[in-house]
Amino acid sequence: MKLKMLCCAALCSIAFTGCAKSNPTFFVDPTWTEKPASVTVAFTEPNVENKDDLEDDLKDFANDFSSWFQAELKKDLEAVTKNSVPFEVRKANVEEFTVVSDSIKTDKFNMLKPNNMEGDGYYLVFSNVNFSRREDAYDNAAYNAYVAQNGYGAPVNPGTNSMATAGATITENALWVNADYAFYSAKSGEKVAFGHWAVRSKFTYAMTTSDWEKCVMALTKKTLARTPVLRK
């Protein structure tokens, strides 16, 4: 019970960190050079903030989103590695892990490490997987630069940059996925890579199934990038 409470607290902490970060942070141990013979992938229950979106885009998995995520993750892992590494992908309970902490510069991370690792392969653990549909507002640099040069009230002539007519703020709709991850060597038990990703799929009018698929594929590519998993 105590471990369960600790894991839940850590996951809440990770959730806060993950949502707060706008830039991804990651680390790959430079001494990790061997291509894994196999990778066991575990993930804790993914969270979807806007449940109605599942009814619209993934109706068959509205009540079992983790099954869709598991299948999609396995498909993308195999596609990105071109089936050069065997992957086992499964959903896991927090009781199967221990909370470990690390940092990259000033950024601190709480991650999950499997209590039991077998064989000579590697383990990849995804935690705090969170999907959210958001409307984000950004400063329009082209418009603001024009105003700074010509003053408010001046007719905007976009020239070669049509974004100058879009106003001071640009609003974008997107499906976001935030996730924390860590790689471990089953043989040594050491953590060889870890980090956080926040990726999105932008849409103009309405979200579709492809936005969910794009998010998982982007998460997969970023997690495997710069690791020996992609070595030939």
Side-chain angles (χ1 to χ4, degrees):
M1 180 62 71
K2 183 177 180 180
L3 174 60
K4 182 176 182 180
M5 292 175 64
L6 178 60
C7 290
C8 290
L11 289 174
C12 290
S13 174
I14 297 171
F16 177 80
T17 303
C19 294
K21 289 181 181 297
S22 58
N23 297 317
T25 305
F26 68 96
F27 170 80
V28 180
D29 189 333
T31 65
W32 180 27
T33 59
E34 65 172 342
K35 185 180 179 71
S38 64
V39 179
T40 300
V41 184
F43 64 91
T44 52
E45 180 74 44
N47 180 61
V48 178
E49 292 185 10
N50 314 99
K51 302 296 185 182
D52 291 344
D53 292 335
L54 293 179
E55 287 287 349
D56 295 333
D57 305 329
L58 298 168
K59 190 176 182 63
D60 291 343
F61 297 93
N63 297 314
D64 189 16
F65 178 71
S66 60
S67 291
W68 178 87
F69 181 72
Q70 178 178 349
E72 195 69 19
L73 189 59
K74 189 174 194 310
K75 180 186 72 175
D76 291 345
L77 288 165
E78 292 173 345
V80 173
T81 59
K82 298 180 180 179
N83 292 306
S84 63
V85 177
F87 288 96
E88 177 190 350
V89 183
R90 66 183 184 86
K91 177 184 170 184
N93 298 317
V94 293
E95 291 87 350
E96 299 177 46
F97 304 95
T98 299
V99 178
V100 295
S101 300
D102 209 328
S103 62
I104 302 174
K105 295 183 179 180
T106 59
D107 294 314
K108 295 182 179 180
F109 292 84
N110 289 320
M111 294 153 289
L112 299 182
K113 179 179 180 179
N115 294 327
N116 297 298
M117 293 186 285
E118 301 176 347
D120 297 328
Y122 285 78
Y123 281 69
L124 167 59
V125 181
F126 285 101
S127 56
N128 184 46
V129 180
N130 185 75
F131 289 83
S132 61
R133 172 173 46 83
R134 299 208 317 250
E135 182 179 272
D136 295 306
Y138 304 92
D139 288 337
N140 184 354
Y143 174 86
N144 293 331
Y146 184 89
V147 168
Q149 180 178 350
N150 299 279
Y152 286 100
V156 178
N157 180 4
T160 59
N161 191 343
S162 61
M163 291 304 295
T165 63
T169 303
I170 299 173
T171 301
E172 293 181 341
N173 295 305
L175 174 66
W176 285 82
V177 59
N178 284 265
D180 297 274
Y181 72 93
F183 277 98
Y184 300 90
S185 166
K187 186 186 300 184
S188 68
E190 296 298 318
K191 183 170 71 279
V192 293
F194 68 96
H196 168 85
W197 294 115
V199 295
R200 64 178 176 172
S201 176
K202 295 190 293 184
F203 59 90
T204 303
Y205 301 110
M207 231 164 54
T208 65
T209 303
S210 66
D211 291 299
W212 300 83
E213 294 170 343
K214 289 176 183 176
C215 279
V216 179
M217 175 57 83
L219 175 64
T220 302
K221 287 181 176 179
K222 287 181 175 293
T223 300
L224 297 183
R226 302 178 180 86
T227 72
V229 178
L230 296 183
R231 290 186 185 278
K232 294 183 179 180

